[in-house]
């Protein structure tokens, strides 16, 4: 194995940003979008999953296959100004939620 391998990158240990993080709610750390696997207060370490399919709250009207981004904690259409691209929807929005494939 290469001597410079660090980890598989599936779950990263990161520091919670202002306001902290909530398990299962996507969060952007710079342009890296992860889904925390634990709650953490601001400044505390947490595990952030970098991939997978997650049932998350999304903007109304988004359809399956839509490219999405995160903006101020909300999952929105990737074309929304200033959003950070983070994945694709696997299912259409229904009742404010959809299954999102997290892609960094």
């Amino acid at each position: 194995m290469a001597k410079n391998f660090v980890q598989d990158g599936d779950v990263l240990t990161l520091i919670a940003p202002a306001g902290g993080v909530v398990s299962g709610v996507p969060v952007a750390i710079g342009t890296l979008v992860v889904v925390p696997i634990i709650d953490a207060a601001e400044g505390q370490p947490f595990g952030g999953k970098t991939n997978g399919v997650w049932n998350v709250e999304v903007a109304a009207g988004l359809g399956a296959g839509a490219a999405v981004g995160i903006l101020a904690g909300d999952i929105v259409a990737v074309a929304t100004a200033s959003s950070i691209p983070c994945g694709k929807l696997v299912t259409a929005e229904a009742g404010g939620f959809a299954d999102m494939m997290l892609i960094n």
Side-chain angles (χ1 to χ4, degrees):
M1 176 180 277
K3 294 179 182 181
N4 60 339
F5 179 79
V6 176
Q7 65 172 314
D8 65 15
D10 189 45
V11 177
L12 302 175
T13 300
L14 302 164
I15 300 300
V21 298
V22 176
S23 177
V25 178
V27 63
I29 307 293
T31 59
L32 174 66
V33 179
V34 298
V35 177
I37 57 175
I38 63 168
D39 294 348
E42 178 179 341
Q44 296 301 305
F46 73 97
K49 187 94 162 97
T50 61
N51 55 31
V53 177
W54 301 85
N55 184 260
V56 296
E57 195 168 348
V58 299
L62 295 173
V68 293
I70 190 168
L71 178 64
D74 297 325
I75 302 299
V76 297
V78 76
T80 303
S82 300
S83 68
I84 299 166
C86 63
K88 308 261 186 194
L89 295 188
V90 177
T91 61
E93 175 270 332
F97 289 84
D99 293 346
M100 177 189 75
M101 180 172 54
L102 182 59
I103 304 169
N104 274 287

